[in-house]
Amino acid sequence: MITEDKTKSLRDRGVSIPAPSSVEIGDEVQIDRISGEGVTIHGGCRIFGKTTFISKGCIIGREGPVTLDSCQLGPDVKINGGFVKSSVFLNGVTVGYGAHIREGSILEEEASVAHTVGLKQTILFPFVTLGSLINFCDCFMAGGTSRKNHSEVGSSYIHFNYTPNQDKATASLLGDVPRGVMLNNKPIFLGGQGGMVGPCRLNYGTVIAAGTIQRKDELEPDRLLFGGALRPGNIKHTPGIFQNIPKVVGNNLYYIANQIALMNWYKHVRTRFVSDSFPLPVLQGLFETLALSMGERIKRLKEFLEKASAVRDSAGHEPLTKNWNRLENDFKGLMSDDSSIGEEKRDAFLKSFDSFLNQTVVENYIDAIKSLDMETASAGTAWLSDIVDDVYQNAIQLIPGIKS
């Protein structure tokens, strides 16, 4: 079907397309996966991808042209301008002009990014807000309880995710999944015109002052971190020297373990909320995009271990990749199957959660989670924490010379 026929079909469904002759719809796009209820596609936009799904109330290209490729959009999402591919945007997400959002990104309910923001393999939990002129690839960020109390990244911030040794085993974990899904933790704030050198981990309640380059983990909660520029220096640089190998490996394993916990949360909790406000194709998009993101982290960890092993082998150490096949198979199994880790705690939490849902009138996922009593929320966190701890401990034992 040519673009003109497709735009006509969309308009017949109720989609508002003010300048249809300037809109391009790929041959592979399935018209019935684009809602006709309150959807607007402005001039200059291009829609591609067999898996593309656009829910009711979405507005595409209000501030400038948008290229939308293989993404799943929940209700009332606004993509104001830019390029987005192979990513999922849940209810009420807003993306500013000039966005460049690439594969493996998930923006949960009411997360927002301002103009000219670059994301790839990035996961933002509900309400997380990014300012403008930001590069925030390879990050997970949670924290906050509402649109008025949320984690935030200030303008002109950068996550440094590429090393002089040309690896990207640098994903940073800001908050965590087991506590973050409960939407009851203090926000994290990263001040503007600053940066973070991945892989880094921060606890909830962390505030980093504007202009600070953060290079170290901060696992204590409620800390104010600040620092200036490095002292001037000029020393010999030798390529191929790998420092802080235990930290890099450990942080990567924690990140993957949190992704596995999130996959279990999606499978056992998110599935209970499929509705007009959370359509099944969006849920399927979450599964596929999270699996894509996990695959990227596993790939990057393998590359790092191979490079670091080549240096260590020359010194007579056991290769860091000695047990890689087993480790990779373990990860892939956990990606595709339900984890039996913490099964007893999971079942107890889900029983309590279902009882709550049966006795309480809630309109959506956010309302349900925010209405949980402390005991039930703590039970859910305990279940997911067991998954993270078990995955991490089992994995760290398979990498020679790296202690937990």
Side-chain angles (χ1 to χ4, degrees):
M1 184 183 294
I2 62 175
T3 291
E4 185 177 350
D5 291 339
K6 288 208 165 186
T7 55
K8 183 179 184 305
S9 297
L10 287 173
R11 295 172 79 187
D12 290 343
R13 287 173 59 83
V15 177
S16 175
I17 307 179
S21 63
S22 70
V23 172
E24 181 180 355
I25 309 294
D27 291 340
E28 73 287 356
V29 174
Q30 301 179 51
I31 296 300
D32 60 358
R33 289 173 64 89
I34 300 177
S35 173
E37 185 180 345
V39 171
T40 300
I41 302 175
H42 286 282
C45 291
R46 301 188 294 173
I47 312 294
F48 302 122
K50 184 178 180 180
T51 62
T52 289
F53 181 87
I54 301 176
S55 300
K56 63 182 180 180
C58 291
I59 300 175
I60 313 298
R62 184 174 183 178
E63 297 176 0
V66 169
T67 297
L68 181 72
D69 187 350
S70 305
C71 294
Q72 295 78 47
L73 278 55
D76 302 318
V77 170
K78 294 179 176 61
I79 309 292
N80 287 317
F83 174 86
V84 293
K85 181 178 181 181
S86 300
S87 297
V88 183
F89 306 85
L90 301 188
N91 199 333
V93 163
T94 300
V95 175
Y97 176 81
H100 196 249
I101 300 179
R102 292 175 287 165
E103 296 91 335
S105 295
I106 296 172
L107 277 64
E108 294 195 358
E109 289 89 349
E110 298 185 55
S112 67
V113 302
H115 70 81
T116 327
V117 170
L119 307 178
K120 183 182 181 185
Q121 310 292 343
T122 300
I123 300 174
L124 304 181
F125 265 18
F127 317 124
V128 173
T129 299
L130 274 56
S132 56
L133 302 168
I134 288 171
N135 189 314
F136 209 60
C137 299
D138 298 320
C139 289
F140 165 91
M141 191 172 196
T145 60
S146 68
R147 285 298 305 154
K148 293 184 178 180
N149 178 45
H150 53 76
S151 289
E152 183 158 351
V153 180
S155 295
S156 301
Y157 201 90
I158 183 168
H159 179 248
F160 298 102
N161 67 329
Y162 191 69
T163 74
N165 288 321
Q166 302 175 14
D167 69 80
K168 282 191 173 183
T170 50
S172 289
L173 189 69
L174 315 179
D176 58 39
V177 169
R179 292 177 293 168
V181 294
M182 297 307 170
L183 307 179
N184 59 3
N185 287 274
K186 293 181 180 179
I188 296 168
F189 181 82
L190 310 181
Q193 293 208 342
M196 178 178 295
V197 180
C200 194
R201 293 170 61 198
L202 299 180
N203 207 336
Y204 292 108
T206 299
V207 174
I208 299 182
T212 299
I213 305 297
Q214 184 66 22
R215 291 178 167 82
K216 297 181 179 180
D217 296 344
E218 182 50 70
L219 303 183
E220 291 292 324
D222 305 319
R223 306 297 297 177
L224 172 61
L225 311 178
F226 52 91
L230 287 173
R231 291 179 299 174
N234 187 334
I235 62 176
K236 179 177 175 56
H237 170 64
T238 304
I241 300 298
F242 287 83
Q243 299 178 333
N244 299 321
I245 291 176
K247 176 198 171 183
V248 172
V249 172
N251 282 7
N252 273 267
L253 293 179
Y254 267 117
Y255 197 100
I256 294 169
N258 272 268
Q259 289 181 310
I260 291 169
L262 183 57
M263 182 66 84
N264 277 267
W265 182 258
Y266 284 168
K267 287 180 178 179
H268 294 286
V269 178
R270 283 281 189 180
T271 50
R272 286 162 158 78
F273 292 91
V274 173
S275 63
D276 287 344
S277 64
F278 184 56
L280 181 59
V282 175
L283 174 65
Q284 293 169 335
L286 284 179
F287 291 147
E288 294 167 5
T289 304
L290 182 56
L292 177 67
S293 179
M294 291 165 66
E296 172 74 4
R297 298 276 59 88
I298 293 167
K299 171 188 172 183
R300 297 300 185 179
L301 176 59
K302 180 182 180 181
E303 291 174 349
F304 174 82
L305 292 176
E306 288 174 340
K307 289 181 179 181
S309 286
V311 176
R312 286 167 52 91
D313 290 353
S314 63
H317 297 290
E318 280 189 296
L320 295 170
T321 54
K322 177 181 178 180
N323 300 313
W324 177 258
N325 288 340
R326 179 180 168 188
L327 181 58
E328 186 174 27
N329 287 335
D330 286 350
F331 284 150
K332 289 181 177 178
L334 290 166
M335 286 167 59
S336 58
D337 300 326
D338 284 347
S339 173
S340 60
I341 303 167
E343 188 172 1
E344 185 175 341
K345 289 184 179 179
R346 179 196 70 197
D347 292 345
F349 164 71
L350 293 176
K351 181 179 179 180
S352 178
F353 189 67
D354 286 337
S355 176
F356 162 77
L357 291 179
N358 290 332
Q359 298 175 20
T360 309
V361 177
V362 290
E363 294 186 1
N364 53 47
Y365 168 83
I366 294 292
D367 289 344
I369 299 302
K370 288 176 63 67
S371 298
L372 289 178
D373 61 80
M374 184 66 71
E375 183 178 357
T376 302
S378 297
T381 294
W383 157 47
L384 297 176
S385 294
D386 277 1
I387 294 176
V388 171
D389 293 343
D390 199 279
V391 170
Y392 174 81
Q393 291 297 335
N394 287 336
I396 202 78
Q397 302 302 321
L398 294 177
I399 303 180
I402 306 296
K403 296 181 179 180
S404 59

